[in-house]
Amino acid sequence: MEKSNYTTPPTLIVPWNKSCGAPAPLPGPGFRAGEDDTLATIAAGLHGLQSAPGDDNIAVLQREMAASLLPVFDMLSAPSGGAPTDDAPAATQADLFRDWLARGDGEQLCADCPATSIDHLLYEFDRQVQAAGDDSDAILLAGIEGADRQVQFSPQLLEQANLQRQLSPGVALAGVIADEVIAGGDAGRFVDARIVVVPAQLGVAADLSIGADEIADLIGVDAAALGGATVTLDASPVVEAASFTLTDGEVQASYTPQDPAPVLFRYAVDLSTAAGPLPAGAADWVVRPAMRRMQPASGPPARVLLTAPYRAIVDTPVVLSAMVLDADYSPITGPLAVDFLDGEGELLASAEGQYGSAMAAVVPSPSIPAIAAVMPTTLKYGDDSTGPGFAVTGTGFSREAVVRVDGVSLAERGLLVAVISSREILFEDDGGFAGDHKIVVENPHDTPSNTSSFTGP
């Protein structure tokens, strides 16, 4: 292999608007679906690096770096991962981030901003506080509802977190490229820009050995002269650097991965300790054989961690996230498809994901309650006392449901009502339910259940 050949240093970082006085092709204020945005600009640049021609070391390293970094930006541009869609804006960190970057100084909040934008969150909170006036309870309610919106809009960040774990090789390669650019065409520099993929299994030692023949081919010397050379493997910050002595024609090394995130191992050879004979000045050569990218594979799916807001506001987007784990609680490393079901087993959304997680944004509509039966039961209170009551079973019960018996709200009668789940409601018997009665469960947004009958003791 020839020595490194260098051309014009690449542009790796594009400055933001107004940063350092440098112009950049970034969006103006008020980014909306269909227009360019900062994340898309970066992703486009990475796609350009990935497809750029050239066989010199920098071009090869750029392609490898782009391949490692692109999944994050591609995910943020996908409808399931952050990009606004025509029917319902996906409520993700990408939307919030885009809006934050696109905001101009002194811009006014708007009433018609996308429901997932920071503008919308601030507008709704400001509107409620202004309407509250001096009513402290109303101000408190505005804060609570603002927090609810934030929790509901914000993604659970599982997919982003998993993708960030995949970024380690790309970040390390950025440093390698910077070294190459700074070094320029220095004589005595031998760098193999290739990256060899090393498949691995979690908990099993993977081979990272390197032979004298590979190093000899890189620098053009006899492999026998390399005995005693010092070879350093560096995978920081994931794995601390370690040095080995080349003996019997190779350096034997291995690493046992405990995490499914990939790790990039860089090799550096110090010829000052080699037995020789070597050309004059070889002790000062920079020798870097091909890097190894260890790619651990997880086990088959065994568990699912589902995250969602504690409660949902009707007609406002909700983000659902699922992390799929193997038996050792490591995120699976392959593609996956996830169906999100509601409490009644009905399909809410389907999503595809990578790196162990999938995410979907759905817009909840009011659930329609249905009463199946009303039966007498014994209630147990927090102080371990008991008392008579009734159990209402069915489907679609909201936590804010109102129970009416013979047209009168039980809460208005001063009776305790507890929504146990979407399938069960308990209420106490004050002795006034003898005989036949009609009962209705009414969810918010004027969605009453069927009318059912029950007979009290």
Side-chain angles (χ1 to χ4, degrees):
M1 181 177 292
E2 296 181 357
K3 295 182 182 180
S4 301
N5 181 28
Y6 301 93
T7 56
T8 304
T11 300
L12 301 179
I13 300 175
V14 178
W16 305 126
N17 279 336
K18 303 180 182 179
S19 71
C20 305
L26 300 180
F31 163 77
R32 296 294 176 259
E35 299 179 16
D36 290 338
D37 65 280
T38 303
L39 299 180
T41 300
I42 298 174
L46 290 173
H47 278 291
L49 289 178
Q50 190 178 35
S51 60
D55 295 325
D56 61 276
N57 283 348
I58 291 180
V60 173
L61 290 170
Q62 283 178 333
R63 287 194 290 270
E64 293 287 352
M65 180 188 70
S68 179
L69 298 180
L70 265 174
V72 171
F73 296 95
D74 285 342
M75 182 275 296
L76 292 176
S77 299
S80 64
T85 57
D86 293 335
D87 52 351
T92 69
Q93 192 69 19
D95 291 335
L96 300 178
F97 184 52
R98 286 189 183 102
D99 269 351
W100 188 260
L101 290 178
R103 284 179 58 81
D105 296 336
E107 281 191 64
Q108 297 298 313
L109 305 181
C110 60
D112 58 349
C113 292
T116 55
S117 71
I118 285 180
D119 281 347
H120 181 81
L121 291 175
L122 295 177
Y123 175 83
E124 282 298 317
F125 178 71
D126 182 70
R127 181 188 61 78
Q128 286 187 273
V129 170
Q130 292 291 338
D134 296 330
D135 186 340
S136 58
D137 289 340
I139 294 175
L140 178 61
L141 178 61
I144 293 173
E145 291 188 356
D148 280 345
R149 289 191 188 92
Q150 180 61 57
V151 170
Q152 182 164 315
F153 294 167
S154 298
Q156 305 308 315
L157 302 182
L158 296 181
E159 190 166 15
Q160 288 96 323
N162 281 336
L163 281 172
Q164 287 171 7
R165 288 150 51 89
Q166 304 288 323
L167 288 179
S168 175
V171 174
L173 280 170
V176 174
I177 294 173
D179 288 344
E180 293 294 287
V181 172
I182 293 172
D186 291 349
R189 187 175 180 87
F190 300 84
V191 177
D192 186 343
R194 294 177 304 131
I195 296 179
V196 179
V197 176
V198 179
Q201 297 293 325
L202 295 178
V204 179
D207 185 26
L208 294 171
S209 300
I210 184 171
D213 289 339
E214 179 180 339
I215 302 172
D217 289 344
L218 177 62
I219 62 178
V221 302
D222 187 349
L226 298 177
T230 301
V231 179
T232 300
L233 274 69
D234 185 6
S236 58
V238 181
V239 183
E240 292 185 2
S243 296
F244 304 84
T245 299
L246 196 155
T247 55
D248 299 326
E250 70 173 344
V251 163
Q252 294 184 345
S254 65
Y255 177 70
T256 303
Q258 302 297 332
D259 187 289
V263 183
L264 184 70
F265 288 86
R266 287 94 67 195
Y267 293 71
V269 182
D270 180 1
L271 298 178
S272 65
T273 60
L278 294 170
D284 297 323
W285 286 356
V286 174
V287 180
R288 294 179 177 172
M291 294 171 279
R292 269 62 166 175
R293 176 189 171 103
M294 183 175 290
Q295 186 68 58
S298 62
R303 297 176 173 86
V304 174
L305 173 63
L306 176 66
T307 56
Y310 171 72
R311 69 175 191 171
I313 303 173
V314 170
D315 296 330
T316 300
V318 173
V319 173
L320 307 173
S321 298
M323 178 180 284
V324 184
L325 311 172
D326 64 13
D328 296 321
Y329 296 93
S330 293
I332 65 170
T333 51
L336 67 147
V338 175
D339 289 337
F340 294 94
L341 309 179
D342 65 13
E344 315 306 328
E346 297 295 327
L347 180 67
L348 291 174
S350 296
E352 296 181 354
Q354 293 279 350
Y355 309 109
S357 62
M359 180 169 57
V362 299
V363 179
S365 58
S367 57
I368 301 177
I371 299 175
V374 182
M375 302 293 292
T377 189
T378 299
L379 304 182
K380 184 176 181 179
Y381 298 93
D383 59 0
D384 291 333
S385 63
T386 60
F390 293 89
V392 183
T393 57
T395 58
F397 300 146
S398 168
R399 292 186 181 276
E400 291 78 25
V402 174
V403 180
R404 299 184 185 277
V405 175
D406 300 329
V408 179
S409 166
L410 296 184
E412 293 177 1
R413 288 180 54 173
L415 297 180
L416 178 65
V417 179
V419 181
I420 304 303
S421 70
S422 64
R423 296 174 178 268
E424 183 181 26
I425 298 176
L426 302 178
F427 65 91
E428 62 182 341
D429 182 1
D430 62 353
F433 294 108
D436 296 332
H437 301 276
K438 301 292 185 180
I439 184 172
V440 172
V441 175
E442 190 176 286
N443 279 357
H445 298 272
D446 298 323
T447 50
S449 70
N450 56 303
T451 300
S452 183
S453 300
F454 73 99
T455 302

